[in-house]
Amino acid sequence: MLLFLCFFLYNLFSHSEVVLTQPDKVIGNKEFEVPFPKMKEIDPRKIQPGPDQDSIYSILNDRMNLALVGHGKNVESLVDTLNSNFDTTQFEVTYISKITNRIQIEGDFEYLQTIQKKLNSTVRNDKILVWFERIFKWQVIFNDPGLKIKENSWYLEQIQAYQAWDITTGDSNIIIAVLDSGFDLNHSELKDKYVNGFDVSKLSPLESKDR
């Protein structure tokens, strides 16, 4: 225990003070790369489904990422290779990361696909990962066992409830009106979640016996 305490105190006082800063700031005269710059605004017209029918992401068809595999790679040489072997009027290098050995280029979808197909044959000495920028879908998964029974939940598909739940699951403070002849107020999913009913035929609140 004493040995651990000595080790802890040594590390506490023998190291220089850690300076917290924002990732886009510069300390002194030392410049450093911003590893995660803000993504520029997405053009909705450039979004298309992923490669598979059940893909969990869509892609931006005007942005493609290229990354060199392995340490000590010169990502700037990859930029030179692109500029030397492909039509620079068809694409633009918009991001270079020396930390992750990755670059991002923007251009026409068809020409970016051409680069994707020909790149590995152009660069023989390095392994390159190539992928279009992805937008992952947000999906809500519920644990209600009743949703797995088609006989009990078929209407949810009819009213497109699942698609609506991908956008919002609502708010407990929102009050909705249900026009019906009546329903079970003791149901486990309705109990304590309703306000006093109203009889539109009598234009008066429901009495207890009518609920």
Side-chain angles (χ1 to χ4, degrees), residues 146-206:
L147 296 178
K148 298 179 180 179
I149 305 175
K150 289 290 184 181
E151 292 80 3
N152 296 343
S153 61
W154 60 269
Y155 63 93
L156 295 175
E157 293 185 1
Q158 294 295 316
I159 65 173
Q160 299 181 337
Y162 298 103
Q163 292 90 324
W165 288 336
D166 280 341
I167 300 173
T168 177
T169 55
D171 188 322
S172 59
N173 295 319
I174 296 176
I175 299 175
I176 63 172
V178 178
L179 302 181
D180 204 337
S181 58
F183 48 90
D184 183 7
L185 295 180
N186 292 318
H187 191 281
S188 58
E189 294 189 4
L190 300 177
K191 190 176 181 180
D192 301 324
K193 295 181 180 179
Y194 62 89
V195 296
N196 291 333
F198 189 84
D199 189 337
V200 294
S201 64
K202 300 177 181 178
L203 299 178
S204 63
L206 288 177

Side-chain angles (χ1 to χ4, degrees), residues 16-210:
S16 59
E17 182 181 359
V18 176
V19 179
L20 299 178
T21 183
Q22 298 296 324
D24 57 349
K25 300 293 183 182
V26 176
I27 301 176
N29 295 323
K30 296 181 179 179
E31 295 184 0
F32 59 93
E33 177 186 3
V34 180
F36 303 107
K38 291 183 179 180
M39 193 175 190
K40 78 175 191 180
E41 188 175 349
I42 295 173
D43 184 348
R45 296 170 298 180
K46 301 296 184 180
I47 300 175
Q48 69 179 52
D52 303 316
Q53 181 178 358
D54 298 325
S55 179
I56 62 173
Y57 62 85
S58 301
I59 65 171
L60 290 179
N61 62 24
D62 65 336
R63 303 183 198 181
M64 192 166 70
N65 297 287
L66 302 92
L68 290 171
V69 178
H71 298 289
K73 301 295 183 179
N74 184 359
V75 70
E76 292 179 342
S77 67
L78 178 57
V79 177
D80 293 336
T81 299
L82 287 172
N83 292 335
S84 300
N85 292 275
F86 298 97
D87 184 357
T88 55
T89 64
Q90 299 292 324
F91 72 94
E92 177 187 5
V93 178
T94 55
Y95 174 65
I96 301 176
S97 171
K98 296 179 182 179
I99 294 177
T100 59
N101 292 325
R102 178 176 69 89
I103 68 174
Q104 185 173 95
I105 61 177
E106 296 184 16
D108 177 74
F109 179 55
E110 291 185 2
Y111 196 77
L112 293 182
Q113 285 182 307
T114 298
I115 295 177
Q116 185 179 33
K117 293 175 182 177
K118 295 182 177 180
L119 191 60
N120 281 323
S121 61
T122 304
V123 183
R124 300 181 182 276
N125 298 326
D126 291 308
K127 182 179 180 182
I128 303 174
L129 300 179
V130 183
W131 71 98
F132 281 90
E133 186 70 21
R134 298 172 180 179
I135 302 177
F136 286 88
K137 301 175 182 177
W138 179 56
Q139 186 178 30
V140 178
I141 300 176
F142 296 94
N143 58 3
D144 187 342
L147 296 178
K148 298 179 180 179
I149 305 175
K150 289 290 184 181
E151 292 80 3
N152 296 343
S153 61
W154 60 269
Y155 63 93
L156 295 175
E157 293 185 1
Q158 294 295 316
I159 65 173
Q160 299 181 337
Y162 298 103
Q163 292 90 324
W165 288 336
D166 280 341
I167 300 173
T168 177
T169 55
D171 188 322
S172 59
N173 295 319
I174 296 176
I175 299 175
I176 63 172
V178 178
L179 302 181
D180 204 337
S181 58
F183 48 90
D184 183 7
L185 295 180
N186 292 318
H187 191 281
S188 58
E189 294 189 4
L190 300 177
K191 190 176 181 180
D192 301 324
K193 295 181 180 179
Y194 62 89
V195 296
N196 291 333
F198 189 84
D199 189 337
V200 294
S201 64
K202 300 177 181 178
L203 299 178
S204 63
L206 288 177
E207 298 180 8
S208 299
K209 64 181 180 63
D210 297 325

Side-chain angles (χ1 to χ4, degrees), residues 5-25:
L5 179 60
C6 292
F7 178 78
F8 173 77
L9 292 174
Y10 171 81
N11 280 276
L12 180 63
F13 295 108
S14 64
H15 290 72
S16 59
E17 182 181 359
V18 176
V19 179
L20 299 178
T21 183
Q22 298 296 324
D24 57 349
K25 300 293 183 182

